[in-house]
Amino acid sequence: YVHVSLGSVSGGETLAICWGVCPHPTPPQPPMGLGSAPSASPVAAGSGGYATFLKAQESCPTLILAHANIGDSGVLEVAHFVGKSPHLLRLDLTGCGITSTGALHLAEALRCNMTLESLVLRHNAIASGPAGEAGLAAICQAARDSSTLRHLDLRHNGLVGASAAAHIGSILQGNAQLSHLELSWNPLEVPGGQVLVNSIRATSGLFDCQLTGCRLAEDTMLDIAQLLLRNRKVKNADMLAGPYQGTWSVNTRDLRKLELEDGLKRAIPPVLRSQGEAAAANYSARYMAEDVAGNSVVSRERTEELMQRLLQWRRVHLETSSAGQTFQGAARVQELLEYLDQGQRESDELLKAAEESRHRAELIGQGFQDREMRYRANLATGRDRLLEYAKEYSKLQAALRRMTDDLGLMRDDLQVATEELKRARQHAEDDEDRDKGKLALLIGERKVLEDRLQELTSTGERMDIETKTLRKGTQQVREGVVNELEA
């Protein structure tokens, strides 16, 4: 079994290879990986030395070159591999020093590839370089036209403003299959956020969009969260929020579980093998290829075969050689047999320990996966509840604004009514003062009239007395005249 891992130490690429017990005195050489130190490796950037490594990954569903620092020239070789690969599902080029020139190569490969689900380009600079923003535009156009791409990671790529957001939005307008988009730590700013939310509003396939550190407005973030929740509800995909889980993530977990249950070994389909498992499965073919270093595969059957051949050689040697030569040959054969037996026991112990370690790792991984699913479910529930609270908060805010407006109108009405009441009171007081003055005049006139009435009454009484006196005198005169006439 051979396992290849790639890393970077102090700016240089490193290669680690683990190999089993084998007759070779030295470990395999760097051509199996992506080089050792850049100064001496034949696979330094631009040297064309990635072909061997890529050939070994032809049937792998994933290709991970994170922080390999392959640059635009290395990306060109990777692009040729991606364009022709019928099995590749995930390509991770995190921190590979890719500029707009490399982005153009990848865009062309993406147009040719018919299987890729996940493309990870974080910690690169695809919008800068000789081609400028054309690299980003090409990647977005290829992603838009792709019928298989589900996940695109462009975090930390220096995508700035509304123009970059417009290119990204074009993906959503044409690719209804894209479900996960990661854009964190790209300063899209407020205008870019508005362009992005308009693009998300026009699609129903996007379930998760990471925008941490993009400097978007709070209302824009809330609108995007609500639109993503709408999409998940429409597609019944509540559990698809968060990190993208591709078909390759199934790997051998289900098969290993069945093996643990019934003890039967099962063949792993090539498309579900991990990168290390596929490399080990293809080891024989790689060993037969020209200029590819390799080592023998240790097994108990091979060891027994070698021991039988040694015993047969010793028997033949004993029959045909002299006494001195026989003793020396028998000692060497015995020594080789002891070495083989000891090596086989050590190999068995290592295999047993490796199996136990793998089993423990699978159990730990299963536990982590179960917890992850539980946490994702809790996060989805919490996110939905948070969105419901946000909606309720928005409704309460709207109701509060309406009530505040109504209260303001009522205060204005109260102020107007208070002023009208004040004016009415002033008018009433003025009318009261005026009426009091009139009343005082009337009372004075009444008193004068009462005095005049009393005076007239007294005069009338005197005149009545005088009239009576005159009438009496007149009557007497009349009687006297009548008497005189009669007489």
Side-chain angles (χ1 to χ4, degrees):
Y1 175 77
V2 179
H3 174 71
V4 182
S5 63
L6 184 67
S8 178
V9 179
S10 301
E13 299 171 1
T14 60
L15 175 68
I17 303 177
C18 301
W19 64 97
V21 179
C22 65
H24 295 287
T26 59
Q29 298 301 313
M32 284 191 63
L34 291 185
S36 54
S39 59
S41 173
V43 294
S47 65
Y50 299 103
T52 301
F53 176 79
L54 295 175
K55 182 176 178 59
Q57 315 305 319
E58 287 180 350
S59 61
C60 294
T62 63
L63 179 60
I64 301 175
L65 300 174
H67 304 290
N69 196 26
I70 61 178
D72 293 335
S73 58
V75 167
L76 179 58
E77 294 189 47
V78 173
H80 288 311
F81 171 79
V82 173
K84 299 176 182 178
S85 175
H87 302 295
L88 190 63
L89 300 177
R90 183 190 185 208
L91 176 61
D92 187 347
L93 297 175
T94 299
C96 285
I98 303 172
T99 67
S100 56
T101 303
L104 293 174
H105 301 326
L106 285 175
E108 190 63 30
L110 188 56
R111 291 189 186 95
C112 300
N113 186 277
M114 302 300 293
T115 59
L116 191 66
E117 289 185 14
S118 174
L119 177 59
V120 180
L121 295 175
R122 61 177 177 264
H123 290 286
N124 287 293
I126 63 173
S128 61
E133 206 166 274
L136 173 62
I139 285 288
C140 293
Q141 182 64 36
R144 174 180 178 174
D145 298 336
S146 174
S147 60
T148 60
L149 192 66
R150 305 290 187 273
H151 170 233
L152 180 60
D153 188 345
L154 297 176
R155 289 176 287 177
H156 289 281
N157 262 277
L159 310 182
V160 181
S163 60
H167 290 306
I168 296 168
S170 66
I171 304 175
L172 303 177
Q173 296 172 7
N175 188 345
Q177 306 299 325
L178 190 71
S179 61
H180 289 70
L181 181 60
E182 301 188 52
L183 302 172
S184 297
W185 306 110
N186 290 298
L188 299 176
E189 304 292 348
V190 175
Q194 191 58 45
V195 172
L196 195 60
V197 73
N198 292 336
S199 301
I200 295 175
R201 185 176 287 112
T203 181
S204 62
L206 190 65
F207 301 146
D208 186 86
C209 185
Q210 299 297 321
L211 295 167
T212 303
C214 290
R215 304 176 187 174
L216 305 188
E218 183 177 354
D219 293 340
T220 301
M221 295 289 286
L222 181 59
D223 291 341
I224 291 176
Q226 291 175 347
L227 292 172
L228 296 176
L229 176 61
R230 177 205 66 181
N231 294 347
R232 293 195 296 272
K233 294 293 185 182
V234 169
K235 297 296 181 67
N236 195 21
D238 292 338
M239 296 301 296
L240 294 183
Y244 179 70
Q245 297 291 327
T247 55
W248 68 85
S249 63
V250 177
N251 210 347
T252 60
R253 185 177 64 244
D254 297 335
L255 296 177
R256 299 304 186 194
K257 183 177 179 181
L258 292 174
E259 289 178 0
L260 291 175
E261 291 176 354
D262 55 22
L264 299 177
K265 294 291 183 180
R266 290 172 171 81
I268 303 172
V271 74
L272 294 182
R273 292 173 180 162
S274 68
Q275 189 164 326
E277 289 171 329
N282 295 333
Y283 180 78
S284 300
R286 293 203 313 274
Y287 183 67
M288 296 299 294
E290 185 179 0
D291 296 331
V292 178
N295 61 304
S296 299
V297 178
V298 177
S299 65
R300 177 168 291 279
E301 292 77 8
R302 178 63 174 166
T303 303
E304 291 178 354
E305 178 186 354
L306 292 174
M307 294 177 71
Q308 290 296 330
R309 290 174 63 182
L310 285 172
L311 292 174
Q312 184 179 1
W313 181 89
R314 185 174 64 178
R315 184 171 58 255
V316 173
H317 183 71
L318 289 174
E319 294 175 354
T320 60
S321 301
S322 62
Q325 293 177 344
T326 300
F327 177 78
Q328 185 178 5
R332 290 180 179 177
V333 168
Q334 184 62 32
E335 184 180 1
L336 288 174
L337 289 173
E338 291 176 357
Y339 282 148
L340 284 173
D341 184 59
Q342 181 181 357
Q344 185 59 49
R345 287 198 301 271
E346 292 178 355
S347 177
D348 292 341
E349 292 175 359
L350 290 174
L351 289 174
K352 182 178 179 181
E355 183 65 22
E356 292 177 354
S357 299
R358 184 189 61 79
H359 180 60
R360 287 196 299 271
E362 287 182 352
L363 294 178
I364 294 172
Q366 184 64 39
F368 276 114
Q369 290 176 355
D370 294 340
R371 283 195 293 274
E372 179 189 1
M373 295 300 296
R374 185 168 63 252
Y375 293 156
R376 287 178 64 192
N378 294 338
L379 285 173
T381 303
R383 187 182 294 109
D384 295 344
R385 189 175 301 172
L386 180 61
L387 289 176
E388 292 176 359
Y389 289 160
K391 290 181 180 178
E392 184 177 358
Y393 177 71
S394 299
K395 292 179 181 179
L396 291 175
Q397 277 190 326
L400 178 60
R401 285 194 294 269
R402 289 195 299 270
M403 294 176 65
T404 302
D405 295 339
D406 294 341
L407 180 60
L409 294 175
M410 293 175 66
R411 285 178 176 174
D412 295 339
D413 294 341
L414 177 61
Q415 185 176 0
V416 172
T418 302
E419 292 177 354
E420 291 180 354
L421 178 60
K422 185 177 180 180
R423 287 195 297 271
R425 285 179 177 177
Q426 186 65 38
H427 292 162
E429 290 176 357
D430 294 342
D431 293 341
E432 183 180 3
D433 293 340
R434 186 169 57 254
D435 292 341
K436 284 182 179 180
K438 290 181 179 180
L439 181 60
L441 292 175
L442 292 174
I443 291 174
E445 291 178 355
R446 178 181 179 183
K447 186 175 182 182
V448 171
L449 291 175
E450 286 178 350
D451 293 342
R452 180 63 178 166
L453 178 60
Q454 186 176 3
E455 181 181 354
L456 291 175
T457 301
S458 300
T459 304
E461 290 176 353
R462 287 195 304 270
M463 291 179 69
D464 287 341
I465 294 173
E466 291 177 355
T467 300
K468 288 180 180 180
T469 303
L470 289 174
R471 284 179 177 176
K472 184 182 285 190
T474 303
Q475 185 66 29
Q476 289 176 357
V477 171
R478 184 182 295 156
E479 291 177 354
V481 172
V482 170
N483 289 331
E484 287 178 359
L485 290 173
E486 289 180 352

